[in-house]
Amino acid sequence: GQSLEQPSEVTAVEGAIVQINCTYQTSGFYGLSWYQQHDGGAPTFLSYNALDGLEETGRFSSFLSRSDSYGYLLLQELQMKDSASYFCAARGGSGNTGKLIFGQGTTLQVKP
Amino acid sequence: ETGVTQSPTHLIKTRGQQVTLRCSSQSGHNTVSWYQQALGQGPQFIFQYYREEENGRGNFPPRFSGLQFPNYSSELNVNALELDDSALYLCASSLGGQGGETQYFGPGTRLLVL
């Protein structure tokens, strides 16, 4: 089957660094995306890794290891507004089918 | 540039009824994907439309159907509503027919089936 596993909850304090892991099992893997969703809001795109290695975008970085079927999202200098759910996602299927498979989400709680 | 919009924002229906949800894609995008998100879960892929053709479907029964129009807006229709259909329905637009990398989500329609 096709699935992505991530921790259900993570708690950290303001100013700290937190890492959210994601392991995946998909056919026809093309890359790993990360989305942020605040309560009651729409998911918003954070980053995408097609190749192994680290991608950095401001306070957020994302890492992919294809050989380990593993990736993570790293959030630095945590702020209260970072409290949200974070989803890893991968495109399932082959060819041009656009099926995007999401993990169950990790709820990040940032405490003062 | 206009973002992704969805209507209505909230909807209450009863079992057995039919519902139509609407989505306007972001300007310049030709692909729309629909997702169902139950409380506390990740979005589940329903289907995708690319240039008015279905371009992939998730594990949803045929009573979930859709359309994409020449202006790339889209509809999701659900017939014979069941209690378990209560969820947030999200549409996302993208460019290129693959849509796996960067999708831009609308605010969603929250459907309650009683």
Side-chain angles (χ1 to χ4, degrees):
Chain A
Q2 299 173 321
S3 65
L4 293 91
E5 299 288 331
Q6 48 182 132
S8 57
E9 291 183 6
V10 173
T11 301
V13 296
E14 219 174 351
I17 299 172
V18 72
Q19 179 174 310
I20 299 173
N21 299 320
C22 175
T23 57
Y24 60 85
Q25 181 181 2
T26 67
S27 59
F29 180 78
Y30 295 93
L32 196 67
S33 302
W34 289 91
Y35 286 81
Q36 178 193 59
Q37 186 178 31
H38 286 97
D39 266 353
T44 56
F45 173 81
L46 291 177
S47 67
Y48 172 67
N49 294 68
L51 304 174
D52 284 1
L54 193 68
E55 293 283 341
E56 297 181 69
T57 309
R59 295 188 296 115
F60 294 179
S61 303
S62 57
F63 173 83
L64 177 65
S65 169
R66 284 173 169 261
S67 59
D68 296 321
S69 298
Y70 163 75
Y72 66 72
L73 179 69
L74 191 73
L75 296 86
Q76 303 181 75
E77 301 172 19
L78 281 174
Q79 301 175 9
M80 298 298 291
K81 67 177 182 180
D82 297 329
S83 293
S85 293
Y86 293 84
F87 297 91
C88 56
R91 183 148 54 95
S94 59
N96 285 325
T97 57
K99 181 177 180 177
L100 194 61
I101 302 165
F102 282 79
Q104 292 291 80
T106 299
T107 301
L108 170 63
Q109 186 178 17
V110 179
K111 295 187 172 180
Chain B
E1 184 177 274
T2 306
V4 180
T5 60
Q6 292 186 243
S7 63
T9 55
H10 295 81
L11 202 51
I12 300 175
K13 292 284 190 179
T14 55
R15 265 188 316 176
Q17 285 190 309
Q18 178 265 342
V19 69
T20 297
L21 310 181
R22 295 179 175 83
C23 171
S24 292
S25 59
Q26 184 163 311
S27 177
H29 286 181
N30 56 16
T31 304
V32 172
S33 304
W34 284 93
Y35 297 85
Q36 180 194 68
Q37 186 176 26
L39 203 59
Q41 304 292 316
Q44 298 291 313
F45 178 80
I46 303 175
F47 43 57
Q48 182 188 80
Y49 280 85
Y50 170 60
R51 291 184 175 177
E52 303 178 60
E53 298 286 330
E54 189 177 286
N55 184 39
R57 189 178 180 93
N59 296 326
F60 281 81
R63 57 190 186 84
F64 286 78
S65 63
L67 281 175
Q68 187 178 32
F69 300 100
N71 66 355
Y72 302 130
S73 65
S74 178
E75 285 183 356
L76 164 65
N77 299 289
V78 187
N79 293 321
L81 283 166
E82 301 177 0
L83 297 180
D84 285 348
D85 295 334
S86 295
L88 179 67
Y89 288 84
L90 296 160
C91 79
S93 76
S94 55
L95 183 62
Q98 297 185 4
E101 286 71 35
T102 305
Q103 299 199 358
Y104 297 85
F105 283 83
T109 294
R110 194 164 296 279
L111 173 65
L112 177 61
V113 182
L114 301 175

